[in-house]
Amino acid sequence: DEYDTSGLYITVLHEASGSVLSSTRHLQPYSELRRLIQILELIQPGRIVSIMTVCDLDFGLPVEVRSYLCSLGSVMCETVGRGMIWTWSFIKGGYTIAESLTVPPPDVQHHQIHVSLVLASNHEFCEKWPHSEQWVLRRRFCDQYEFFGDLCSCTEPFDLTNLNAPQMVGNQLLKTPIMVIASRVPAFYRNLKTVMTAEGFIKSRLEVF
């Protein structure tokens, strides 16, 4: 039932355990498909990514989206069009596990694709990060969830504690902004970054639950 609505679905799996790292993202054709690049950019290298189309993509994939998917290693994204069922499983920043493009008869309502893969062994997420308590907690979080971009970047992680936000002259702010975004933690993180890098931000006045 989760895949009854037409469109494109993205699922991200852990490269060692095979567990799902976030709820499946659903993009409606055609207006939302340009968000696909932004979403894929947020995924950490090494993750197992599965993309599939259900029912129909209406007008297919935008040109810039096709070019980006080709740069990631897709072979069949150039020919995805109306009435076609496309599935692609790959390692982000790595290789294609399996890719399929079919044009089923009009009376076929369901289409099954089975993919076998070998999970990574001896896995340690961002092993070059420091091993202080703060970084251990971040490593544990980022190893269980996805779509947090530079919060979980192994090479250039966003530093939440070493900010150089310009201070506002004569700052008289006495209260802390409060943001509430239920069940949308990646969106909350992006808003939090905006607040933390704004002029006049005072770290001691912010608390996150």
Side-chain angles (χ1 to χ4, degrees):
D1 293 341
E2 183 181 0
Y3 304 106
D4 281 348
T5 305
S6 63
L8 185 144
Y9 292 80
I10 307 172
T11 304
V12 182
L13 305 177
H14 193 281
E15 61 270 35
S17 67
S19 59
V20 178
L21 295 176
S22 68
S23 57
T24 299
R25 294 295 184 94
H26 173 224
L27 300 180
Q28 291 277 12
Y30 172 78
S31 58
E32 287 189 316
L33 285 177
R34 285 180 170 81
R35 290 183 53 225
L36 179 60
I37 296 177
Q38 177 188 16
I39 291 173
L40 292 177
E41 282 290 312
L42 293 173
I43 300 173
Q44 299 306 317
R47 299 302 198 197
I48 302 169
V49 183
S50 177
I51 296 178
M52 64 179 294
T53 60
V54 175
C55 296
D56 201 351
L57 274 184
D58 286 349
F59 299 102
L61 297 169
V63 174
E64 63 270 32
V65 174
R66 293 180 189 271
S67 298
Y68 179 75
L69 292 171
C70 286
S71 72
L72 292 181
S74 172
V75 175
M76 301 176 182
C77 64
E78 287 283 5
T79 53
V80 175
R82 300 196 66 175
M84 300 180 184
I85 296 177
W86 175 52
T87 61
W88 181 35
S89 297
F90 65 100
I91 305 295
K92 174 70 183 294
Y95 59 91
T96 291
I97 300 170
E99 189 171 15
S100 171
L101 182 66
T102 60
V103 184
D107 57 340
V108 174
Q109 300 297 320
H110 299 281
H111 190 78
Q112 293 185 346
I113 299 293
H114 299 279
V115 176
S116 298
L117 54 92
V118 178
L119 298 176
S121 59
N122 300 322
H123 169 80
E124 182 182 355
F125 186 82
C126 293
E127 58 183 11
K128 294 184 178 180
W129 280 2
H131 286 81
S132 62
E133 181 181 4
Q134 170 200 332
W135 287 95
V136 168
L137 290 173
R138 187 190 286 205
R139 182 182 286 109
R140 186 181 307 164
F141 175 85
C142 291
D143 201 33
Q144 298 179 43
Y145 304 98
E146 258 302 341
F147 297 118
F148 286 92
D150 61 359
L151 177 71
C152 298
S153 169
C154 293
T155 55
E156 298 180 355
F158 179 71
D159 193 342
L160 296 165
T161 61
N162 187 27
L163 294 175
N164 295 312
Q167 296 303 304
M168 189 179 299
V169 178
N171 186 357
Q172 297 182 12
L173 297 175
L174 301 178
K175 297 182 180 180
T176 300
I178 297 176
M179 296 177 292
V180 179
I181 308 179
S183 302
R184 295 175 57 195
V185 184
F188 171 75
Y189 168 63
R190 291 192 294 273
N191 282 271
L192 185 63
K193 278 183 60 180
T194 301
V195 171
M196 295 177 72
T197 55
E199 183 177 353
F201 171 76
I202 301 176
K203 182 168 55 179
S204 62
R205 292 180 181 171
L206 180 70
E207 191 164 4
V208 177
F209 296 90

